[in-house]
Amino acid sequence: MGKVYIVGTCDTKGAELNYAKEVVFSAGADAVLVDVGTLGKGAGADIQAREVAEFHLEGAAAVLGQTDRGTAVSAMAKALTAFLKSRDDIGAVLGLGGTGNTALVTEAMRALPIGVPKLMVSTVASGNVAPYVGPNDLTMMYSVVDVAGLNAISRRVIGNAGNAAAGMARNAIPASRDDRPGIGMTMFGVTTSCVTQIREMLGQSHEIYVFHATGVGGQSMEKLVDSGLLQGVIDVTTTEVPDLLIGGVFPATEDRFGAIIRTGLPYIGSVGAVDMVNFGAHETVPAPFRDRHVHNAQVTLMRTSPEENRRIGAFIVARLNRMQGSVRFLLPLQGVSAIDAAGQPFHDPEANQALFSAIRAGWRDAPNRRLVEIDAHINSAEFAAALVASFHEIHA
């Protein structure tokens, strides 16, 4: 059984943190109280702030004694991240705090693998928590009253959190004998047919995890890669890249493909749905883009131009070239989405050729890497079969 790491600033939240520790012990789990106060003046912690600060790449001096609080908190977040990643006995992480400590602790929590319990009791947990949670299994609990002293309300909330963290640490979920090798796949509505065919071909032998490519979808897939929970990916739909580069509402981050680069996981990919940028209702589309779109009341899709496709292709291939594992990247020469096939509203062979040419021009050959061109549409049976054949080839 792992330990519950309780994290907060002991100089200002000492009573609350120690109460959480008592609850965890009473619930039958071991607890470690970690001080992340940037003034280094807390007392009573099992792990002192200076010990955590020493995990910063530039040492404790980069964290403690800073005159600017924001700088100190950011530095402590980096130190805490390194500290938690160095531990091999974490059963759960429980954080308590306000805005600053929530940002600090959740940054470190997000670096932990999927499956490690993470619970943050926070004054900001009733608002938009996406920046704190990201693509992670991180639970936010609203503190109701400020984390500023123990009272009838805070004892109940913090006590519930302590019991929850202890329960998760004591009851870790074991791997099942029914678990099959996991494959991550990205999908958008206009590539559903391709993904469905692949699922039918591989679903008996593999666990298929499909991620809707709406910005956080690609991040979630890559978080599982970083967590060591996927044995492969078939990244059919890289549509979040156009939204990143051109300003759509479903953007990737600059770290798109980063997990594959870091881990060397074998990679199968394509250019699904990169013929479009996503916006909200029609009136939200920037004026220069309004003459090349299809839309309904909620969603507007803008067709990418040849120049935009050259940028998209250059972005993708630059990251493909940094991958150290086996790579197969497939180009569907007859179209990249359901609505750019012949006769469809986004049919634009010149734009697609600009995309393909940019990828060809930037591609670097290596023994374990192959750029594969298929004279078929992305949703065709032929293209789905080629993706599966490439998957079997690099996972043989």
Side-chain angles (χ1 to χ4, degrees):
M1 178 177 66
K3 301 175 182 178
V4 177
Y5 279 70
I6 302 169
V7 186
T9 53
C10 288
D11 54 345
T12 59
K13 315 293 184 191
E16 299 92 319
L17 292 163
N18 277 287
Y19 173 67
K21 183 177 177 180
E22 292 172 9
V23 171
V24 169
F25 273 131
S26 296
D30 198 3
V32 179
L33 179 52
V34 180
D35 183 19
V36 291
T38 56
L39 298 178
K41 295 180 179 179
D46 300 301
I47 305 293
Q48 299 295 320
R50 177 164 290 278
E51 295 178 66
V52 179
E54 287 172 352
F55 278 80
H56 193 282
L57 285 175
E58 298 177 16
V63 181
L64 304 178
Q66 296 288 333
T67 56
D68 181 76
R69 181 174 182 269
T71 299
V73 168
S74 296
M76 182 61 89
K78 292 180 173 58
L80 179 63
T81 298
F83 168 76
L84 291 179
K85 290 173 72 173
S86 75
R87 313 303 285 188
D88 60 5
D89 61 349
I90 295 178
V93 179
L94 171 60
L96 309 176
T99 54
N101 202 50
T102 299
L104 190 165
V105 177
T106 57
E107 179 176 331
M109 286 178 170
R110 292 194 301 273
L112 295 173
I114 297 293
V116 175
K118 316 161 187 72
L119 175 58
M120 185 74 211
V121 179
S122 170
T123 59
V124 299
S126 67
N128 176 18
V129 298
Y132 303 108
V133 176
N136 301 277
D137 56 340
L138 195 164
T139 301
M140 300 283 287
M141 178 182 285
Y142 181 45
S143 63
V144 184
V145 295
D146 203 347
V147 185
L150 289 172
N151 53 56
I153 303 301
S154 64
R155 275 194 296 270
R156 183 71 61 86
V157 173
I158 294 170
N160 285 340
N163 280 322
M168 289 186 282
R170 293 188 62 192
N171 298 279
I173 306 302
S176 169
R177 288 180 296 178
D178 296 330
D179 290 348
R180 289 166 288 164
I183 303 173
M185 298 181 62
T186 48
M187 185 179 80
F188 216 48
V190 292
T191 60
T192 299
S193 178
C194 178
V195 171
T196 299
Q197 293 175 74
I198 296 170
R199 289 176 61 199
E200 291 172 353
M201 286 184 272
L202 293 176
Q204 294 300 311
S205 57
H206 292 77
E207 198 85 62
I208 309 296
Y209 308 115
V210 178
F211 299 89
H212 198 184
T214 56
V216 74
Q219 295 174 53
S220 297
M221 183 181 75
E222 294 202 40
K223 179 63 180 181
L224 290 182
V225 172
D226 274 329
S227 299
L229 296 175
L230 294 181
Q231 284 68 54
V233 300
I234 303 180
D235 195 6
V236 175
T237 311
T238 44
T239 187
E240 295 157 328
V241 173
D243 280 36
L244 170 66
L245 298 181
I246 301 163
V249 296
F250 296 145
T253 70
E254 290 288 345
D255 191 47
R256 187 64 168 93
F257 311 102
I260 310 298
I261 295 167
R262 287 187 290 275
T263 64
L265 189 75
Y267 177 82
I268 307 291
S270 189
V271 287
V274 302
D275 57 328
M276 62 189 64
V277 180
N278 297 270
F279 295 99
H282 177 59
E283 59 270 16
T284 70
V285 181
F289 297 156
R290 290 182 183 172
D291 62 344
R292 46 189 175 106
H293 65 272
V294 296
H295 67 92
N296 58 34
Q298 289 79 36
V299 177
T300 306
L301 306 179
M302 184 193 77
R303 203 338 171 167
T304 49
S305 69
E307 178 53 36
E308 289 162 348
N309 274 5
R310 278 188 281 271
R311 291 175 55 203
I312 293 162
F315 179 97
I316 292 173
V317 76
R319 281 148 180 80
L320 295 174
N321 287 335
R322 293 170 56 194
M323 296 178 183
Q324 299 301 307
S326 295
V327 175
R328 300 292 184 273
F329 199 75
L330 281 68
L331 302 181
L333 301 184
Q334 295 302 316
V336 302
S337 85
I339 59 173
D340 84 333
Q344 295 299 313
F346 277 11
H347 183 60
D348 187 343
E350 180 187 358
N352 282 356
Q353 284 305 314
L355 171 72
F356 301 148
S357 295
I359 293 173
R360 292 183 192 114
W363 181 267
R364 291 208 303 263
D365 281 322
N368 62 340
R369 302 160 44 77
R370 187 178 305 162
L371 182 62
V372 182
E373 301 189 19
I374 307 295
D375 191 17
H377 189 272
I378 196 166
N379 286 327
S380 68
E382 181 181 353
F383 193 76
L387 285 166
V388 171
S390 293
F391 178 84
H392 286 312
E393 180 184 357
I394 66 174
H395 286 272

